[in-house]
Amino acid sequence: MSEQKKILVIGCNGQIGTVLTRALSKKYGSNNVIGSDISKPKESVDFIFEVCSVLDANQLLSIIKQYNITDVYLLAAYLSAKGEDNISKAWSLNIDGLLNILNFAKDKIIKKIFWPSSIAVFGPTTPKKNVNQNAITEPTTIYGVSKLAGEALCNYYHQKFGVDVRSLRYPGLIGWQSMPGGGTTDYAVDIFHEAIKKREYTCFLSPNRILPMMYMADAIKATIAIMDASSEKIKIRTSYNISALHFNPEDLAKKIKQYFPDFIIKYEPDKRDLLASSWPNSIDDSCATKDWGWNPNYDLSKMVDDIILNLKKKYKQEII
Ligand code: SER
C-alpha cells in the first residue's frame, strides 16, 4: 500500500494558495493538507493552518516532521512589479525559500515539490508569438531573474540528487476567489471587481498590450495534473510552458461590456506596462500536452462568464 500523502502548501493565503489549498484539501482530505503563511487566513479554512515563513528553515523542518509531510507546494513569492521595488527581498524570498525546500528533498525528508515559474523568465530577446519551450530566456525583472535561477536550481537538484521537483511557467492568472499582489498581470483581476462595483476601471497597461493568461481553474487543474503524473512522464525539470488564453485589456473590456454595457475603461499605463512589454504575447505548450496530457478547459468567453457569475453572487452577499 502506498504511504498516505501529507501536503504542505507554503503561501496558502496568496492568489494561487487560496484556491489550490482548498482544492487539495477536497482531493486528499482536510487532515492531510497543511497550509502555511506568514499570517492567519482571513476566512475560515478546511485544512490545518500553521503560521510560518519559508525563510525560517528550522520552523519549516519542525512542521514537516510534526505532520510527516511528503509533498510541498511552494507558492510564496515576490511578483514582478513589487520585486522591482525590493530587489534583495525578492531574490531572498524567491531563491532562499526554494533552496530550503530543495534541501529537505535532497535529504529525503520530503518526497515531491511543486514550485511555480512564470512567463517572466522570457524577455525582450524572446520571440513574441507562440514561444517554444526552449526559447531565449533573458529576463529584465528581478522576478524573472529569480524564476530563471530557480528553474536552473530545480533542474540541478533533480539531475544531481534525484529530487522530484515539478514546475510550470504560469501565465497571468485570473480568478474571482482571491486577489493577486504586486504583479504586472493583476489588471485582469482588478478589472472585474471594479466593473461590478463601479462600472469603471483605469488600466495600468496599454490597451493593446497582449499577454498570455489563464483562468485559475485551469491553473489548478495543471498544477494537480503535473503533480499526479508518474515521474517518468516529467521530461522537463526546469519548468514547463503552459498556455490557455492571450488577450489585451481592450479585448477583456469588450467582453465585460457584454455584461455591463455602461462599463468604461480608461488607460493610464505606468511602469508595469514596460515590464509587460518585455514578455511574450503567446506561448507554445506542446511539451506539456505531449508529456503529461495538458489541455485547458476555459476560453475567454467561458472564463468571463464564470467570473462574473461568481463575483455577482459574492458582492450581493457582501454589499447587503
Ligand atoms: N503574474 C505574474 C506577474 O505579473 C507573472 O507571472 O508578476
Side-chain angles (χ1 to χ4, degrees), residues 236-269:
I236 293 169
R237 293 291 180 160
T238 49
S239 189
Y240 276 94
N241 279 6
I242 48 163
S243 163
L245 314 168
H246 58 277
F247 55 78
N248 65 32
E250 202 59 10
D251 299 328
L252 185 56
K254 265 189 204 143
K255 279 276 170 211
I256 292 175
K257 265 189 199 179
Q258 291 174 359
Y259 297 80
F260 307 109
D262 53 342
F263 174 63
I264 295 167
I265 185 160
K266 295 179 185 163
Y267 293 93
E268 283 175 18

mmCIF file of all heavy atoms in Angstrom, residues 236-269:
data_model
loop_
_atom_site.group_PDB
_atom_site.id
_atom_site.type_symbol
_atom_site.label_atom_id
_atom_site.label_comp_id
_atom_site.label_asym_id
_atom_site.label_seq_id
_atom_site.Cartn_x
_atom_site.Cartn_y
_atom_site.Cartn_z
ATOM 1 N N ILE A 236 10.814 17.410 -18.439
ATOM 2 C CA ILE A 236 11.439 18.730 -18.275
ATOM 3 C C ILE A 236 11.470 19.062 -16.796
ATOM 4 O O ILE A 236 10.423 19.086 -16.135
ATOM 5 C CB ILE A 236 10.643 19.797 -19.060
ATOM 6 C CG1 ILE A 236 10.774 19.514 -20.559
ATOM 7 C CG2 ILE A 236 11.117 21.209 -18.717
ATOM 8 C CD1 ILE A 236 9.829 20.317 -21.421
ATOM 9 N N ARG A 237 12.664 19.260 -16.266
ATOM 10 C CA ARG A 237 12.794 19.505 -14.824
ATOM 11 C C ARG A 237 13.223 20.940 -14.532
ATOM 12 O O ARG A 237 13.526 21.268 -13.387
ATOM 13 C CB ARG A 237 13.780 18.513 -14.207
ATOM 14 C CG ARG A 237 13.264 17.077 -14.242
ATOM 15 C CD ARG A 237 12.089 16.872 -13.295
ATOM 16 N NE ARG A 237 11.603 15.499 -13.338
ATOM 17 C CZ ARG A 237 10.863 14.939 -12.380
ATOM 18 N NH1 ARG A 237 10.506 15.644 -11.327
ATOM 19 N NH2 ARG A 237 10.442 13.712 -12.498
ATOM 20 N N THR A 238 13.286 21.775 -15.588
ATOM 21 C CA THR A 238 13.377 23.219 -15.322
ATOM 22 C C THR A 238 11.955 23.667 -15.027
ATOM 23 O O THR A 238 11.544 23.704 -13.869
ATOM 24 C CB THR A 238 13.984 23.979 -16.516
ATOM 25 O OG1 THR A 238 13.297 23.566 -17.721
ATOM 26 C CG2 THR A 238 15.467 23.730 -16.642
ATOM 27 N N SER A 239 11.163 23.928 -16.082
ATOM 28 C CA SER A 239 9.758 24.287 -15.887
ATOM 29 C C SER A 239 9.039 24.207 -17.225
ATOM 30 O O SER A 239 9.611 24.571 -18.259
ATOM 31 C CB SER A 239 9.660 25.712 -15.331
ATOM 32 O OG SER A 239 8.342 26.002 -14.955
ATOM 33 N N TYR A 240 7.804 23.711 -17.208
ATOM 34 C CA TYR A 240 7.027 23.550 -18.445
ATOM 35 C C TYR A 240 6.311 24.835 -18.842
ATOM 36 O O TYR A 240 5.637 25.469 -18.001
ATOM 37 C CB TYR A 240 5.939 22.487 -18.254
ATOM 38 C CG TYR A 240 6.398 21.070 -18.470
ATOM 39 C CD1 TYR A 240 6.818 20.295 -17.397
ATOM 40 C CD2 TYR A 240 6.394 20.507 -19.743
ATOM 41 C CE1 TYR A 240 7.222 18.965 -17.589
ATOM 42 C CE2 TYR A 240 6.803 19.178 -19.934
ATOM 43 C CZ TYR A 240 7.214 18.422 -18.861
ATOM 44 O OH TYR A 240 7.609 17.118 -19.051
ATOM 45 N N ASN A 241 6.398 25.207 -20.117
ATOM 46 C CA ASN A 241 5.466 26.195 -20.689
ATOM 47 C C ASN A 241 4.048 25.654 -20.544
ATOM 48 O O ASN A 241 3.811 24.480 -20.878
ATOM 49 C CB ASN A 241 5.712 26.354 -22.199
ATOM 50 C CG ASN A 241 6.868 27.272 -22.534
ATOM 51 O OD1 ASN A 241 7.590 27.727 -21.653
ATOM 52 N ND2 ASN A 241 7.045 27.536 -23.834
ATOM 53 N N ILE A 242 3.103 26.484 -20.085
ATOM 54 C CA ILE A 242 1.684 26.126 -20.226
ATOM 55 C C ILE A 242 0.925 27.347 -20.726
ATOM 56 O O ILE A 242 1.311 28.487 -20.439
ATOM 57 C CB ILE A 242 0.973 25.577 -18.961
ATOM 58 C CG1 ILE A 242 1.244 26.439 -17.751
ATOM 59 C CG2 ILE A 242 1.283 24.126 -18.730
ATOM 60 C CD1 ILE A 242 0.248 26.154 -16.642
ATOM 61 N N SER A 243 -0.154 27.092 -21.429
ATOM 62 C CA SER A 243 -0.849 28.187 -22.081
ATOM 63 C C SER A 243 -2.340 27.908 -22.118
ATOM 64 O O SER A 243 -2.767 26.749 -22.079
ATOM 65 C CB SER A 243 -0.268 28.301 -23.494
ATOM 66 O OG SER A 243 -1.107 29.048 -24.309
ATOM 67 N N ALA A 244 -3.124 28.974 -22.166
ATOM 68 C CA ALA A 244 -4.577 28.818 -22.316
ATOM 69 C C ALA A 244 -5.142 29.945 -23.181
ATOM 70 O O ALA A 244 -5.759 29.702 -24.202
ATOM 71 C CB ALA A 244 -5.262 28.814 -20.956
ATOM 72 N N LEU A 245 -4.912 31.203 -22.755
ATOM 73 C CA LEU A 245 -5.512 32.357 -23.432
ATOM 74 C C LEU A 245 -4.433 33.388 -23.736
ATOM 75 O O LEU A 245 -3.388 33.397 -23.081
ATOM 76 C CB LEU A 245 -6.498 33.055 -22.485
ATOM 77 C CG LEU A 245 -7.477 32.202 -21.698
ATOM 78 C CD1 LEU A 245 -8.152 33.036 -20.627
ATOM 79 C CD2 LEU A 245 -8.511 31.646 -22.656
ATOM 80 N N HIS A 246 -4.697 34.257 -24.683
ATOM 81 C CA HIS A 246 -3.928 35.503 -24.755
ATOM 82 C C HIS A 246 -4.837 36.592 -25.268
ATOM 83 O O HIS A 246 -5.627 36.375 -26.178
ATOM 84 C CB HIS A 246 -2.642 35.358 -25.575
ATOM 85 C CG HIS A 246 -2.840 34.901 -26.982
ATOM 86 N ND1 HIS A 246 -2.978 33.571 -27.315
ATOM 87 C CD2 HIS A 246 -2.946 35.598 -28.135
ATOM 88 C CE1 HIS A 246 -3.158 33.478 -28.619
ATOM 89 N NE2 HIS A 246 -3.149 34.687 -29.148
ATOM 90 N N PHE A 247 -4.775 37.745 -24.606
ATOM 91 C CA PHE A 247 -5.638 38.869 -24.977
ATOM 92 C C PHE A 247 -5.037 40.152 -24.430
ATOM 93 O O PHE A 247 -4.094 40.114 -23.624
ATOM 94 C CB PHE A 247 -7.065 38.660 -24.437
ATOM 95 C CG PHE A 247 -7.146 38.425 -22.955
ATOM 96 C CD1 PHE A 247 -7.040 39.482 -22.065
ATOM 97 C CD2 PHE A 247 -7.304 37.143 -22.441
ATOM 98 C CE1 PHE A 247 -7.109 39.273 -20.690
ATOM 99 C CE2 PHE A 247 -7.379 36.923 -21.068
ATOM 100 C CZ PHE A 247 -7.281 37.993 -20.200
ATOM 101 N N ASN A 248 -5.570 41.285 -24.881
ATOM 102 C CA ASN A 248 -5.115 42.576 -24.359
ATOM 103 C C ASN A 248 -6.246 43.206 -23.530
ATOM 104 O O ASN A 248 -7.384 42.714 -23.546
ATOM 105 C CB ASN A 248 -4.610 43.481 -25.493
ATOM 106 C CG ASN A 248 -5.703 43.868 -26.475
ATOM 107 O OD1 ASN A 248 -6.869 43.995 -26.097
ATOM 108 N ND2 ASN A 248 -5.338 44.056 -27.736
ATOM 109 N N PRO A 249 -5.965 44.285 -22.796
ATOM 110 C CA PRO A 249 -7.001 44.889 -21.945
ATOM 111 C C PRO A 249 -8.254 45.281 -22.724
ATOM 112 O O PRO A 249 -9.374 45.157 -22.211
ATOM 113 C CB PRO A 249 -6.297 46.124 -21.372
ATOM 114 C CG PRO A 249 -4.850 45.753 -21.336
ATOM 115 C CD PRO A 249 -4.628 44.904 -22.555
ATOM 116 N N GLU A 250 -8.070 45.714 -23.964
ATOM 117 C CA GLU A 250 -9.222 46.124 -24.770
ATOM 118 C C GLU A 250 -10.141 44.927 -25.075
ATOM 119 O O GLU A 250 -11.364 45.043 -25.008
ATOM 120 C CB GLU A 250 -8.700 46.757 -26.077
ATOM 121 C CG GLU A 250 -9.654 47.668 -26.785
ATOM 122 C CD GLU A 250 -10.139 48.876 -25.977
ATOM 123 O OE1 GLU A 250 -9.618 49.176 -24.883
ATOM 124 O OE2 GLU A 250 -11.104 49.495 -26.447
ATOM 125 N N ASP A 251 -9.537 43.785 -25.397
ATOM 126 C CA ASP A 251 -10.324 42.567 -25.640
ATOM 127 C C ASP A 251 -11.134 42.199 -24.399
ATOM 128 O O ASP A 251 -12.308 41.827 -24.488
ATOM 129 C CB ASP A 251 -9.420 41.349 -25.939
ATOM 130 C CG ASP A 251 -8.557 41.523 -27.176
ATOM 131 O OD1 ASP A 251 -9.006 42.200 -28.113
ATOM 132 O OD2 ASP A 251 -7.422 40.982 -27.196
ATOM 133 N N LEU A 252 -10.484 42.280 -23.231
ATOM 134 C CA LEU A 252 -11.153 41.886 -21.989
ATOM 135 C C LEU A 252 -12.278 42.874 -21.664
ATOM 136 O O LEU A 252 -13.394 42.471 -21.296
ATOM 137 C CB LEU A 252 -10.125 41.822 -20.841
ATOM 138 C CG LEU A 252 -10.639 41.315 -19.501
ATOM 139 C CD1 LEU A 252 -11.282 39.935 -19.621
ATOM 140 C CD2 LEU A 252 -9.491 41.244 -18.473
ATOM 141 N N ALA A 253 -11.996 44.163 -21.848
ATOM 142 C CA ALA A 253 -13.021 45.189 -21.574
ATOM 143 C C ALA A 253 -14.241 44.983 -22.470
ATOM 144 O O ALA A 253 -15.388 45.127 -22.015
ATOM 145 C CB ALA A 253 -12.425 46.583 -21.793
ATOM 146 N N LYS A 254 -14.003 44.635 -23.730
ATOM 147 C CA LYS A 254 -15.127 44.403 -24.658
ATOM 148 C C LYS A 254 -16.015 43.268 -24.175
ATOM 149 O O LYS A 254 -17.241 43.342 -24.224
ATOM 150 C CB LYS A 254 -14.584 44.050 -26.054
ATOM 151 C CG LYS A 254 -14.487 45.252 -26.955
ATOM 152 C CD LYS A 254 -14.158 44.810 -28.382
ATOM 153 C CE LYS A 254 -13.499 45.969 -29.109
ATOM 154 N NZ LYS A 254 -12.448 45.543 -30.020
ATOM 155 N N LYS A 255 -15.388 42.199 -23.702
ATOM 156 C CA LYS A 255 -16.157 41.051 -23.171
ATOM 157 C C LYS A 255 -16.972 41.488 -21.958
ATOM 158 O O LYS A 255 -18.137 41.105 -21.809
ATOM 159 C CB LYS A 255 -15.208 39.928 -22.734
ATOM 160 C CG LYS A 255 -14.740 39.074 -23.854
ATOM 161 C CD LYS A 255 -15.757 37.970 -24.168
ATOM 162 C CE LYS A 255 -15.362 37.284 -25.457
ATOM 163 N NZ LYS A 255 -16.465 36.772 -26.233
ATOM 164 N N ILE A 256 -16.344 42.256 -21.078
ATOM 165 C CA ILE A 256 -17.023 42.668 -19.837
ATOM 166 C C ILE A 256 -18.209 43.580 -20.179
ATOM 167 O O ILE A 256 -19.262 43.521 -19.535
ATOM 168 C CB ILE A 256 -16.010 43.327 -18.869
ATOM 169 C CG1 ILE A 256 -15.025 42.258 -18.378
ATOM 170 C CG2 ILE A 256 -16.717 44.001 -17.690
ATOM 171 C CD1 ILE A 256 -13.901 42.755 -17.507
ATOM 172 N N LYS A 257 -18.047 44.398 -21.223
ATOM 173 C CA LYS A 257 -19.139 45.297 -21.656
ATOM 174 C C LYS A 257 -20.377 44.526 -22.102
ATOM 175 O O LYS A 257 -21.486 45.044 -22.075
ATOM 176 C CB LYS A 257 -18.658 46.165 -22.813
ATOM 177 C CG LYS A 257 -18.166 47.506 -22.351
ATOM 178 C CD LYS A 257 -17.905 48.423 -23.522
ATOM 179 C CE LYS A 257 -16.989 49.520 -23.019
ATOM 180 N NZ LYS A 257 -16.619 50.471 -23.987
ATOM 181 N N GLN A 258 -20.174 43.283 -22.518
ATOM 182 C CA GLN A 258 -21.352 42.480 -22.911
ATOM 183 C C GLN A 258 -22.251 42.224 -21.698
ATOM 184 O O GLN A 258 -23.443 41.997 -21.840
ATOM 185 C CB GLN A 258 -20.910 41.154 -23.531
ATOM 186 C CG GLN A 258 -20.239 41.345 -24.878
ATOM 187 C CD GLN A 258 -19.672 40.045 -25.448
ATOM 188 O OE1 GLN A 258 -19.758 38.982 -24.843
ATOM 189 N NE2 GLN A 258 -19.051 40.156 -26.614
ATOM 190 N N TYR A 259 -21.667 42.251 -20.505
ATOM 191 C CA TYR A 259 -22.447 42.036 -19.272
ATOM 192 C C TYR A 259 -22.876 43.364 -18.659
ATOM 193 O O TYR A 259 -23.920 43.469 -18.036
ATOM 194 C CB TYR A 259 -21.612 41.268 -18.239
ATOM 195 C CG TYR A 259 -21.246 39.890 -18.703
ATOM 196 C CD1 TYR A 259 -20.183 39.692 -19.581
ATOM 197 C CD2 TYR A 259 -21.979 38.787 -18.290
ATOM 198 C CE1 TYR A 259 -19.862 38.426 -20.029
ATOM 199 C CE2 TYR A 259 -21.664 37.514 -18.723
ATOM 200 C CZ TYR A 259 -20.591 37.348 -19.603
ATOM 201 O OH TYR A 259 -20.274 36.095 -20.041
ATOM 202 N N PHE A 260 -22.017 44.388 -18.790
ATOM 203 C CA PHE A 260 -22.294 45.712 -18.216
ATOM 204 C C PHE A 260 -22.094 46.747 -19.319
ATOM 205 O O PHE A 260 -20.989 47.287 -19.466
ATOM 206 C CB PHE A 260 -21.339 46.004 -17.050
ATOM 207 C CG PHE A 260 -21.310 44.935 -15.989
ATOM 208 C CD1 PHE A 260 -20.197 44.115 -15.847
ATOM 209 C CD2 PHE A 260 -22.397 44.744 -15.140
ATOM 210 C CE1 PHE A 260 -20.171 43.125 -14.871
ATOM 211 C CE2 PHE A 260 -22.368 43.754 -14.165
ATOM 212 C CZ PHE A 260 -21.259 42.949 -14.035
ATOM 213 N N PRO A 261 -23.135 47.023 -20.128
ATOM 214 C CA PRO A 261 -22.958 47.905 -21.282
ATOM 215 C C PRO A 261 -22.460 49.312 -20.904
ATOM 216 O O PRO A 261 -21.858 49.993 -21.735
ATOM 217 C CB PRO A 261 -24.365 47.963 -21.892
ATOM 218 C CG PRO A 261 -25.030 46.712 -21.408
ATOM 219 C CD PRO A 261 -24.465 46.424 -20.058
ATOM 220 N N ASP A 262 -22.695 49.741 -19.649
ATOM 221 C CA ASP A 262 -22.230 51.078 -19.242
ATOM 222 C C ASP A 262 -20.795 51.059 -18.699
ATOM 223 O O ASP A 262 -20.297 52.080 -18.212
ATOM 224 C CB ASP A 262 -23.188 51.683 -18.194
ATOM 225 C CG ASP A 262 -23.434 50.757 -17.009
ATOM 226 O OD1 ASP A 262 -23.166 49.530 -17.140
ATOM 227 O OD2 ASP A 262 -23.887 51.236 -15.953
ATOM 228 N N PHE A 263 -20.123 49.923 -18.778
ATOM 229 C CA PHE A 263 -18.739 49.828 -18.269
ATOM 230 C C PHE A 263 -17.792 50.699 -19.106
ATOM 231 O O PHE A 263 -17.832 50.684 -20.333
ATOM 232 C CB PHE A 263 -18.275 48.369 -18.295
ATOM 233 C CG PHE A 263 -16.831 48.186 -17.922
ATOM 234 C CD1 PHE A 263 -16.384 48.530 -16.660
ATOM 235 C CD2 PHE A 263 -15.908 47.672 -18.828
ATOM 236 C CE1 PHE A 263 -15.051 48.367 -16.296
ATOM 237 C CE2 PHE A 263 -14.575 47.510 -18.488
ATOM 238 C CZ PHE A 263 -14.148 47.845 -17.214
ATOM 239 N N ILE A 264 -16.952 51.456 -18.396
ATOM 240 C CA ILE A 264 -15.984 52.326 -19.090
ATOM 241 C C ILE A 264 -14.569 51.940 -18.661
ATOM 242 O O ILE A 264 -14.306 51.789 -17.457
ATOM 243 C CB ILE A 264 -16.209 53.814 -18.698
ATOM 244 C CG1 ILE A 264 -17.568 54.289 -19.195
ATOM 245 C CG2 ILE A 264 -15.104 54.712 -19.253
ATOM 246 C CD1 ILE A 264 -17.974 55.621 -18.583
ATOM 247 N N ILE A 265 -13.685 51.798 -19.640
ATOM 248 C CA ILE A 265 -12.272 51.555 -19.297
ATOM 249 C C ILE A 265 -11.444 52.768 -19.716
ATOM 250 O O ILE A 265 -11.656 53.333 -20.794
ATOM 251 C CB ILE A 265 -11.732 50.240 -19.919
ATOM 252 C CG1 ILE A 265 -10.299 49.970 -19.429
ATOM 253 C CG2 ILE A 265 -11.820 50.230 -21.436
ATOM 254 C CD1 ILE A 265 -9.818 48.554 -19.560
ATOM 255 N N LYS A 266 -10.548 53.196 -18.806
ATOM 256 C CA LYS A 266 -9.624 54.288 -19.123
ATOM 257 C C LYS A 266 -8.212 53.719 -19.021
ATOM 258 O O LYS A 266 -8.012 52.694 -18.367
ATOM 259 C CB LYS A 266 -9.778 55.424 -18.117
ATOM 260 C CG LYS A 266 -11.124 56.101 -18.172
ATOM 261 C CD LYS A 266 -11.191 57.191 -17.119
ATOM 262 C CE LYS A 266 -12.581 57.795 -17.085
ATOM 263 N NZ LYS A 266 -12.817 58.534 -15.854
ATOM 264 N N TYR A 267 -7.277 54.397 -19.641
ATOM 265 C CA TYR A 267 -5.906 53.875 -19.633
ATOM 266 C C TYR A 267 -4.928 54.898 -19.080
ATOM 267 O O TYR A 267 -4.885 56.042 -19.535
ATOM 268 C CB TYR A 267 -5.494 53.472 -21.051
ATOM 269 C CG TYR A 267 -6.291 52.284 -21.543
ATOM 270 C CD1 TYR A 267 -7.458 52.465 -22.289
ATOM 271 C CD2 TYR A 267 -5.910 50.987 -21.220
ATOM 272 C CE1 TYR A 267 -8.213 51.377 -22.712
ATOM 273 C CE2 TYR A 267 -6.661 49.894 -21.644
ATOM 274 C CZ TYR A 267 -7.800 50.083 -22.387
ATOM 275 O OH TYR A 267 -8.546 49.019 -22.790
ATOM 276 N N GLU A 268 -4.164 54.468 -18.075
ATOM 277 C CA GLU A 268 -3.043 55.275 -17.569
ATOM 278 C C GLU A 268 -1.858 54.335 -17.402
ATOM 279 O O GLU A 268 -1.548 53.901 -16.295
ATOM 280 C CB GLU A 268 -3.413 55.907 -16.215
ATOM 281 C CG GLU A 268 -4.324 57.105 -16.326
ATOM 282 C CD GLU A 268 -4.767 57.647 -14.955
ATOM 283 O OE1 GLU A 268 -4.116 57.333 -13.935
ATOM 284 O OE2 GLU A 268 -5.776 58.367 -14.941
ATOM 285 N N PRO A 269 -1.214 53.971 -18.531
ATOM 286 C CA PRO A 269 -0.110 52.998 -18.435
ATOM 287 C C PRO A 269 0.991 53.532 -17.519
ATOM 288 O O PRO A 269 1.352 54.712 -17.592
ATOM 289 C CB PRO A 269 0.392 52.892 -19.875
ATOM 290 C CG PRO A 269 -0.705 53.441 -20.732
ATOM 291 C CD PRO A 269 -1.451 54.431 -19.902
#
